[in-house]
Amino acid sequence: LIHRCSRRCFVDIVWHPSNEFFTFSDSDAFWLFNLSASEPERLLTNEVDDEGRSTNVFGGGSWAKNGRHLLLWAGATEGSSRLVFDVPTGELTGIPNSFIYVDPFRTSVTWMQDDRLLVIRGFEADQPRIELARFNHEAEQKLVVEESQLLSDEAGLIVSSGIHLENGRFGYLLTHPTDSSQ
């Protein structure tokens, strides 16, 4: 036993690349547990109302290869956004325009092998776009978009499942919500 969850445990355990610790979340907080410790460390405070609905809860996503940055969900019962947590400094940086309420997912965010973010967007004028972004801790604007490319000029397409492949190429899925032949 490492921790008794208050009111509600969230199933979002995310192992660090070193495999020496992991993060998890409950109604009270977003926690980090080091396997050599006896108690978890509170990283962020969660907020849940009296009925148990999330009002501001942080949940695990994925660690960057550098082991410093953690991609999180931050949200409530009525939707959530993506952000990056810089573990050593405790700084949170939001991914602009990443709020998701219901399908289809309009923005997806994943880590690349070089600690940049691959951001797939499908909401800007309903035209799918891919972005490569990097963190610059010294800049006022922490998240710097290095490249941005329109994937199609056809309106209404939905883009999802972005991945940076080992050969350096990118993969993604383009679908049309009402035409199953595309």
Side-chain angles (χ1 to χ4, degrees):
L1 179 67
I2 59 165
H3 180 75
R4 290 197 187 277
C5 295
S6 72
R7 291 197 289 185
R8 185 172 171 200
C9 289
F10 300 107
V11 184
D12 59 354
I13 292 173
V14 180
W15 284 93
H16 185 268
S18 70
N19 293 322
E20 294 175 14
F21 50 91
F22 60 88
T23 58
F24 66 96
S25 193
D26 69 8
S27 296
D28 284 343
F30 181 71
W31 303 93
L32 177 117
F33 184 75
N34 188 321
L35 295 177
S36 62
S38 59
E39 293 183 13
E41 173 187 350
R42 180 187 300 253
L43 296 178
L44 298 164
T45 300
N46 287 336
E47 299 168 15
V48 177
D49 68 15
D50 292 336
E51 286 82 40
R53 291 184 303 243
S54 306
T55 58
N56 189 34
V57 173
F58 299 97
S62 61
W63 287 93
K65 296 289 183 210
N66 65 15
R68 174 178 178 159
H69 298 115
L70 184 60
L71 182 62
L72 298 175
W73 288 100
T77 303
E78 297 296 325
S80 61
S81 296
R82 301 305 302 263
L83 52 86
V84 174
F85 181 56
D86 184 5
V87 176
T89 67
E91 184 175 17
L92 289 167
T93 302
I95 308 293
N97 302 315
S98 64
F99 181 79
I100 296 173
Y101 177 60
V102 292
D103 286 337
F105 292 113
R106 296 293 185 187
T107 302
S108 65
V109 184
T110 58
W111 290 111
M112 295 173 52
Q113 295 296 318
D114 62 0
D115 296 322
R116 289 185 296 169
L117 288 168
L118 172 63
V119 182
I120 301 287
R121 299 184 185 278
F123 64 88
E124 296 176 21
D126 287 328
Q127 293 180 324
R129 176 169 296 282
I130 187 170
E131 296 174 354
L132 304 181
R134 181 177 304 281
F135 278 87
N136 182 344
H137 294 280
E138 288 77 40
E140 184 176 325
Q141 182 73 13
K142 302 288 185 213
L143 185 64
V144 178
V145 175
E146 294 181 336
E147 296 182 49
S148 181
Q149 177 69 47
L150 189 64
L151 297 174
S152 172
D153 57 4
E154 183 178 342
L157 290 178
I158 297 169
V159 61
S160 63
S161 306
I163 186 170
H164 184 223
L165 302 168
E166 288 183 22
N167 65 4
R169 299 180 76 175
F170 297 95
Y172 51 86
L173 175 66
L174 281 174
T175 58
H176 193 283
T178 58
D179 184 353
S180 62
S181 67
Q182 291 190 352

